[in-house]
Amino acid sequence: MSGSILFILLTTLLALLIPWILKTVIDSLKDYPSSQPMLLRYSIFLVLVSALEGVFRFYMRRLLISASRKIEYSIRNDFFSHLQTLDSTFFENNRTGSIMALISNDLDAVRNFLGPGLLNLFNTVFVFFSTIIIMFMISPRLTLYSLVAIPLLPVIVSRLSATLHSRFKISQEHYALLSARTQESIAGIKVTKSFTQENNEIDNFSKLNQEYIVKNMELAKIRSIFWPVMILVGGIGSLLVLMVGGRQVIGGSLTLGQFVQFSSYIIFLTWPLISLGWVINLVQRGEVSMGRLNKVFGLTPVIKEPASPLNKSYLNGDIEFKGVFFKYPVIKAYELYDGQSPEDKSRWILQNINISIKAGMQAGIVGFTGCGKSTAANLVPRLYDPQKGLVLIDGVDIKKISLKVLRPGISYTTQDPFIFSKTIRENILFGVEKINQSVTDNELIEKKVISVSKTAHLHEDVQQFPQGYDTIIGERGITLSGGQKQRLAIARALMTSPNILILDDSFSNIDTGTEELILQDLKKNTADMTKIIISHRISTIKDSDIIIVMDEGQITHTGKHEELLKKSEIYKNLYHRQQLAEELEEEL
Amino acid sequence: MNDMHRESFYEKDIEEKQVDRKVALKLLKYVAPYKFLMAFTVFLLLLIAGLELAGPYLIKIAIDEHLALGQADGFLRIVVIFAAVLAGLFIFRFFQQYLTEYLGQKIMYDLRMDIFKHIQKMEMSFFDKNPTGRILTRVTTDVQALNELLSSGIVTFFGDIFMIAGVAIVMISLNLKLSLVTFSVLILLAAATFIFRKKVRVSFKIIRAKISNMNSFIHEAVTGINTVKLFNREEKNADEFDELNRSYLFQYLKTIFYYSVFFPVVGLISAIAIALIVWYGGGQVIRNLLTLGTLVAFIQYIEKFFHPISDLAEKFGIIQEAVAASERIFTMLELEPKIISAQNPAKISSVRGNIEFENVWFAYDNNNFILKDISFKLKAGKSIAIVGATGSGKTSIINILNRFYDIQKGSIYLDGVNIKKYDLSQLRKHIGVVMQDVFLFSGNILENIRLGNKDISFDSVMQAAKYVNADKFIKMLPDGYETDIKERGQVLSVGQRQLIAFARALVFNPEILLVMDEATSSIDSEIEALIQDALSKIMKDRTTIVIAHRLSTIKHADTIIVLTHGRIVESGTHKELLALKGFYYKLYKYQYRLQA
């Protein structure tokens, strides 16, 4: 950075030398009988100065613009990494398209400020002051005249830029809204199409789009006045120079050469002013956008690496919930975020949950939809933290365990598993920390990929794809059926060899026959793993060591299958009704 | 990383043949509606250029006629004219600037609308193939890249050209010989520009593709954030992103070098022109062949001549990037939607709801048939239940009836007319779908039920919600119908979402209803009873195809179709199937066993 400032300085000084050479030429032409060889010398000198200036200008540009791109690169990387540390609550309360606007549109504005903005700002300041110094050396009086309008500048600039700032903010916020709306419209296209709401979607989008124009035109008003005003301020200077300087030349107190030189410098003074207008534009926009980015940068995740994690490098697998109360936290979107949570009127999703699962056990959780089964599972790998009560693993509060120990120790397959647009192999390897390059390791990994796929009963399906494990899955995993997706998710979970395995409704799209086979293989191959299986299908969990029945956020009963059939009304009902459906499914 | 995969998810960033001119023509089409406004701003530019040129000329007159001669008379007049020129410039510049921005905003509005409309028209397989992040990039970032070209580019381009032409004309009229000396350096400029263009040409298309790829990656990382966290993928993801980000950076750094060279070169060429004038013109002044004023004016004009040239060079990057972005926009706009309405669509005045499948074969990709030779008839107002294991093709039946996808062989008829002969939106208007995974938009419950369609009143939304038993739980939510649902919809349970979907279907009151009833298949609870009740209510007197697991639903359907591996293995009424003693008979037997 300091290097580039030096280059800016050198470039400016040389650029100012050129009018001085011209002045000398003109004065010599007017006052002395010049000779052709002398003119040649001046010409060559002119070209040399300009060439040298060019060299400095090259370095100046390259250094500053490259720097701005590099800064953009690191902000983008930092932003992405920061985003990944944020709590699930953040993503729950901010729209995807709006987050994406930050990393594209706002970052662009910041870079434009850092690159061309700073370049021109430095340049402007240097040119401005060095020009004034030289002008003073020629004629202090004339200089003062040419600067008459300059005091207006701070007044105009500060008033206009304040307005500019607030209007940029409105515009950038609206852009984020537009982006969010578009993103949802693409994601929900199926609903729109099946209800033939395309025209309605278009109308709604059109309204947003229209509002965006209106907001931008409010901005344009200020932007449009800025540039002409700056030129006018410079113009007033040259007008006064013409008027006063002209009279001085006529009166004989100023040479014609000095006058010409002075008019050249006035032009030098006008350009910085114009560019100042432009720079202020970039600065304001960059500042607004940086502010928006900083709002997100300023968010600290609630769930993060403990300050002094326990010296614990693996999980044994005992899980305990102690008086856990939980509801999904609500926060304001990043644009409005002020550190305070809005009033939360919702009810507890989990109320006073007490569970104890010993290492190596298989626990089943059943209950109706919305009873809190999945929410309870979310708390184990700390996607969320409970508001009251404790979750313990191996008798230790999980908040004290390093996330780098906790999460790799747990594999949690969510209800609607997210499959990435990668190959099947890459998806299975998703959670594997490091893939070593050596051949033997690769063979080992390949073997393991196949073995977990076999356990998940995915292998047979994969073999039928022409490209096998290299088959690519579309953005929404479209080439896979619901059941295949779930089995892929199970394979992915097994691949990391966790100590705790949580399967949340992972068999809902898998027929009972296959489910049974998977469960058997799981038992065989993962005997020492603590397993929590969540299902609303009794068959899935009936062989568990402990079964937990949940209803409306509370545990109603715990026990084994036979006990629960006697104790729990809910359990009994579920069991009888489902028996049929499953047997039917098997038949089909 | 697999190469094939890169191709599908990431856009190709290989330079194709330059088609700049075509793109420019297409962009001009967007300018066309505003041609008068455009003409006016160009006219303003002409005025500005003219006034700009007047400045040095006034100074020349001042020098030659007053200052050099020591002549004070009339000097004040020149000063006044100069002041008027300044004032004029101020006013014209403001209007020119404002109108130009207006023009740019209008054109971007039109472009955004066209892309958005086009997306709405594309068939489902388009969305299967293109990641959301990529499509989003077209509507947002790519249009934004046109901003500068449209808001200042086109107009300054004209302005600069006028300026160059105007300066050239004035210079020629002042002194032909001097002008020719000045213009001689243009050969150098042409050569420099030629080399420069060749060097930076390649980069911008690649840069746009890289931006789009980054957006797709971020989009996936954000939507799949929980999976990323659960599998400790943060660092690896950051590395992958770094790779994309870095390659984007390198492309830019490449262009920066050429830009950094080009500007000083333009400056040098301009200095050479001035040096030539000093040397040659100065000599003429010595020999009294040229006035000093003309020489001074010439030197000033050379500056005015080269300024727009370096300005154009500066804009060159913006233009290149905008061209690359618009090329990608137009490529998308030119994709013809494959599933479209018939040319002369059959009129639908009132749909009765007779549906017939005739030897239907269907595959998502061309070889892998999901449905094989499916034939069945469904009379208006009746219902069909489709039973079968996952992957048997049940969902596809729904996808092809409302033409999300078109079938490869056979025909589907609605009221005796092939569905391909109807107007697409008319067809879909009469077919309601209750989907398995209920998609919720950000917004409140009310808007989610009526899908933002303000033609549907709050009352009818409430009625529909009441009818499907959703009203009760909605009223219990913190803000009732006004309760905000976030993008990921944590507020509602799966069962509640299902009821919302029913209300959605009902409020649009379609004659035909397609229901996916799988997700809640094994839920049994208070809400389950509500769902069942709602389902039987909305199925009443409505042609319904229901994909069901519930015995009660299946039994109540007028016809039952049993599907395995894409083929119908059994079909008929409840009684007929019982008599068949096949799959359905077994099903019934279980039911009987429970009752016993």
Side-chain angles (χ1 to χ4, degrees), chain A residues 320-329 344 346-355 372 375-376 379 384-391 399 550 552-555:
Chain A
E320 199 181 347
F321 278 57
K322 260 190 186 161
V324 167
F325 282 78
F326 177 77
K327 59 170 121 179
Y328 286 100
D344 189 357
S346 62
R347 283 163 295 181
W348 292 111
I349 308 279
L350 294 179
Q351 290 178 61
N352 197 23
I353 298 293
N354 293 289
I355 305 176
T375 307
L379 303 184
Y384 296 91
D385 278 346
Q387 280 85 356
K388 275 191 255 177
L390 285 179
V391 180
K399 287 186 190 171
M550 285 183 72
E552 291 183 356
Q554 283 170 310
I555 295 177

Side-chain angles (χ1 to χ4, degrees), chain A residues 1 9 43 52 74 84 135 167 170 188 191 197 204 276 285 307 343 421 425 469 479 502 528 531 534 552 578 587:
Chain A
M1 207 53 158
L9 199 64
S43 302
L52 194 59
S74 25
Q84 292 196 107
M135 283 163 72
R167 294 194 183 171
I170 294 169
V191 180
Q197 292 302 299
N204 288 338
L276 188 65
R285 185 158 173 241
E343 193 195 348
S421 317
R425 179 181 293 104
Y469 284 95
T479 50
I502 306 172
D528 49 354
K531 289 182 274 289
I534 298 168
E552 291 183 356
Q578 286 169 16
E587 287 301 322

Side-chain angles (χ1 to χ4, degrees), chain B residues 182-195 262 265-266 268-270 272-273 276 306:
Chain B
T182 311
F183 299 155
S184 66
V185 300
L186 290 181
I187 299 164
L188 286 176
L189 188 71
T193 312
F194 181 75
I195 297 169
F262 187 62
V265 167
V266 173
L268 185 63
I269 291 170
S270 135
I272 290 173
L276 281 176
F306 277 92

Side-chain angles (χ1 to χ4, degrees), chain B residues 114-127:
Chain B
D114 277 3
I115 306 168
F116 192 85
K117 281 183 197 162
H118 190 73
I119 294 170
Q120 300 289 323
K121 261 191 279 177
M122 291 310 289
E123 68 277 0
M124 282 314 295
S125 54
F126 169 82
F127 296 94

Side-chain angles (χ1 to χ4, degrees), chain B residues 364-399:
Chain B
Y364 288 99
D365 48 42
N366 280 327
N367 307 313
N368 210 339
F369 280 100
I370 304 288
L371 294 178
K372 297 163 191 160
D373 201 25
I374 299 288
S375 299
F376 66 84
K377 280 185 188 171
L378 175 59
K379 283 230 173 74
K382 303 284 183 189
S383 58
I384 270 188
I386 300 174
V387 192
T390 43
S392 59
K394 289 171 301 191
T395 316
S396 304
I397 288 188
I398 282 182
N399 280 340

Side-chain angles (χ1 to χ4, degrees), chain A residues 36 43 73 77 84 86 88 93 96 183-184 193 196 200 209 223 368-369 421 475 577 583-584, chain B residues 5 101 112 120 122 132 219-220 226 229 234 242 246 275 279 442 451 486-487 523-524 587 590:
Chain A
Q36 196 72 46
S43 302
Y73 158 82
N77 262 0
Q84 292 196 107
L86 292 177
S88 301
N93 289 283
T96 310
Q183 190 270 339
E184 271 171 41
K193 278 185 179 291
T196 57
N200 183 39
N209 201 355
R223 276 154 59 115
F368 309 135
T369 320
S421 317
E475 195 194 25
R577 299 221 174 178
E583 280 171 15
L584 165 68
Chain B
H5 155 227
E101 291 238 16
R112 248 183 245 120
Q120 300 289 323
M122 291 310 289
T132 309
H219 186 262
E220 217 182 37
N226 277 349
K229 281 176 181 293
E234 290 96 331
D242 178 67
R246 190 183 293 270
W279 174 66
S442 304
L451 293 173
K486 301 273 164 56
E487 203 176 282
I523 304 166
D524 197 346
L587 180 148
Y590 289 125

Side-chain angles (χ1 to χ4, degrees), chain B residues 195-221:
Chain B
I195 297 169
F196 174 68
R197 254 191 73 122
K198 221 173 157 188
K199 291 290 182 192
V200 294
R201 195 182 218 177
V202 196
S203 315
F204 279 104
K205 270 187 207 168
I206 301 179
I207 283 170
R208 296 310 305 175
K210 300 247 180 239
I211 290 175
S212 171
N213 290 342
M214 271 198 293
N215 281 348
S216 300
F217 186 86
I218 298 165
H219 186 262
E220 217 182 37

